[in-house]
Every structure is written in C-alpha cells, then in structure tokens.
Amino acid sequence: MTSKTLHFPSARHLSSLYAGTDENLSLAEVSLHVRLITRDDWLKIEPAQPVPGKPAPRPAAESVALAVDFFNFLHAARGQGLAIRTPDYIRILETFARGEGANLKALYAAPLVIATNRKTIVPKTLGQKLYLQSILKNPVVFGIGPAGTGKTYLAMAAAVSALLKNEVQRIILTRPAVEAGEALGFLPGDLEEKILPYLRPLYDALHDMLDAADITRLTEKGVIEIAPLAYMRGRTLSNAFIVLDEAQNTTPEQMMMFLTRLGEESRMVVTGDITQIDLPRSKQSGLLEVRRILQNIPGIDFHTFSGSDVVRHPLVLKIIEAYESYRNPIGSEDSPVAPR
C-alpha cells in the first residue's frame, strides 16, 4: 500500500500544524481516511484499514495524497504567519475533506503582508486573511466580530499601507462618541478633551505603525484625521481611506450619513461588535440594519469574525465564549439579532 513520510524543521513545528492537540490528528485520520504516525519531526501517512462492509470514501492512494496535500498546506500557511488554532485547523480540514483544498491553496498562493513604517503586519488567522483580502478587493467592507479579532487594527494597517504607497492622499479615522456606561457631560475638560478618550484607541494603533513625529506632522497637515463621527456630516471624502470604528454605536441615520460621504477614489472599512452596543435601548444600531439593506450590492462585502479569530490573551476567547453561553443558553429562544 502507498504511504508517505513528511519531514518538518522540528518537532515543535510539526506539533504547531495540528495546534499541539493529538485529538486533531485523530480527527484528520477520520476525515481523510488515513492512519497518522508522528515522532520527533516526521509524520508518516498510511491508508486507513478498510472497515468490513463499509466502502472507503476514496481509493487508498488518493486518501494518502489528500492528507499529504493537507499537511503541506498547513506547513505553507504557517510559513506565512498563520497561527494555527484548533478552529482554524478544523475549518481547513473540513475544506480539504470536501475536496475544496484548491480554493484554500489559491488563497495562500501569494503571501499577504501589510507593510508600515514601524512594523510588518501579517494576518494570524484564516479569518483575518480573508478580511484583508476583502479590504484590498472591495471599496466598502464591513468587519463584524468580537473584541480581539483585529478588525480595526488590520483596517488601520491597510489604510497606512495605502497612504505610504500613494494609493490614497489621506486617512480618516472616526468613531461615534457614545458613552459606554459613563456620562460624557461629567468628564472633565472642554469638548475636545471630553471626546479624546473615545478616539484614544485609534491613536494607540496608529503609533504601532508610524513614528510619533510622522503622526504629528501628517495630522497637522490634515493627511491623517481622527475625529468623531459627527464631524463627517456634510462632507465628501475623496481620495481617502476611511475607517469607521465602533460602528455598532451608530444609529441607522448616522450609518447612512457616513456611507454617503464616500467620494471618488476612496475606500471605506466599517468595524463593530454587535455584542457591545452602547446605544439607548430605544435606538436601533445602524450596524445591525445595514447588512439587511446592502448585502447584495457588488463592491460591498461583509466579513464576520468568530471567536477563533481572537488574537489577544487566550483568556479573551474563553471570556467571549462564556458570555455567549450565558446570554444564549442551549434551548433558549433569546438570542441577539445578529445577521450572519
């Protein structure tokens, strides 16, 4: 019978391809109909033993070849910076088991790297890579998902990269100034000082990508603008890369106002987390409504992140999952109105 042995740079490297979990290897054995033997830095792939009375899903040689293809793909994806976690592993495995591995290989045919002055940014999950590819392809992209998935950070990285490549003439970063449990009027300072805390996360991300002196210079020249959403009213934003963050806190009227600011040669990315809406209960979120209205328009793409795309501390994913279980217990009919 046909068998194949693959060798990798180290035992640690090999383990990272299946997220360091033996159960994932067992899952691959069942899904691809092979037997896997691993030791040190090598992985041996053999055909699975036939089950009496049950036909094999494919010839033994094809099963081995498919498994080889699968692990070689994981190796190549890891080489491009993908941190393979169990949800990513399962998603990729299911794709190969369905015979659709060619689609994923095309996705990773060329490395996707976003270069800024201070660092090079590489998507760490499959979801992040699909999101970045959508941003590069579509004029308007919505990135919807939980905290820690990189939806705003990657959008800002794409904006900075576009500016450095002279693809746009300016960057506009905006957020709605909505209280998250605090009363804006009781904060100290004048109006600008009251609003600054809402914009601080955008400044923090920007400092990861550009030198402080460059940020100051470009801000003074108006090449980079960070402002509350209300400042966008009445403007036409041309030759710009525009990022709207915390979009779950826009009203339907504000969302329409923002989207209709799009001018010639401009691109927009709208990000938000529909589980963290801070609007009064009497107001609907514009982010919840917009998908139902715009989902079939060419050039507009909606990308939904999942918990598997969280790249913060591992506890963040567990916190998100715990809250989802608490809010939506199995068998409950109560669930957030989250279009997917």
Side-chain angles (χ1 to χ4, degrees), residues 4 7 11 13 17 22 28 41 45 61 89 91 101 148 155 178 191 246 256 258 294 312 324:
K4 181 75 174 180
H7 294 270
H13 180 103
L17 300 187
D22 290 340
D41 62 350
I45 304 170
Y89 176 89
R91 189 187 308 181
V178 176
L191 180 60
E246 297 289 326
M256 181 180 177
F258 172 76
L294 303 181
R312 291 183 183 169
E324 288 179 349

Side-chain angles (χ1 to χ4, degrees), residues 71-90:
F71 282 100
N72 280 338
F73 173 80
L74 292 176
H75 172 63
R78 187 184 184 282
Q80 288 190 27
L82 178 68
I84 300 169
R85 305 173 183 209
T86 292
D88 287 321
Y89 176 89
I90 293 174

Side-chain angles (χ1 to χ4, degrees), residues 127 130-135 137-145 151 244 247-248 250 255 258-259 268-272 274 285-306 309 338-340:
L130 291 169
Y131 175 59
L132 268 180
Q133 288 194 324
S134 180
I135 290 174
K137 179 181 178 182
N138 297 285
V140 179
V141 174
F142 290 81
I144 303 170
K151 53 189 181 295
L244 169 60
Q248 75 275 6
T250 62
M255 179 64 76
F258 172 76
L259 294 173
M268 278 183 172
V269 180
V270 179
T271 69
I274 56 176
S285 168
L287 187 60
L288 286 176
E289 180 189 68
V290 70
R291 183 173 226 164
R292 296 191 289 268
I293 298 172
L294 303 181
Q295 63 180 347
N296 295 320
I297 297 180
I300 298 178
D301 186 50
F302 289 83
H303 180 89
T304 302
F305 290 93
S306 68
D309 295 306
R340 291 189 178 273

Side-chain angles (χ1 to χ4, degrees), residues 267-288:
R267 295 148 65 183
M268 278 183 172
V269 180
V270 179
T271 69
D273 179 358
I274 56 176
T275 68
Q276 297 191 36
I277 298 173
D278 299 313
L279 293 168
R281 291 184 179 274
S282 59
K283 292 186 178 181
Q284 182 182 8
S285 168
L287 187 60
L288 286 176

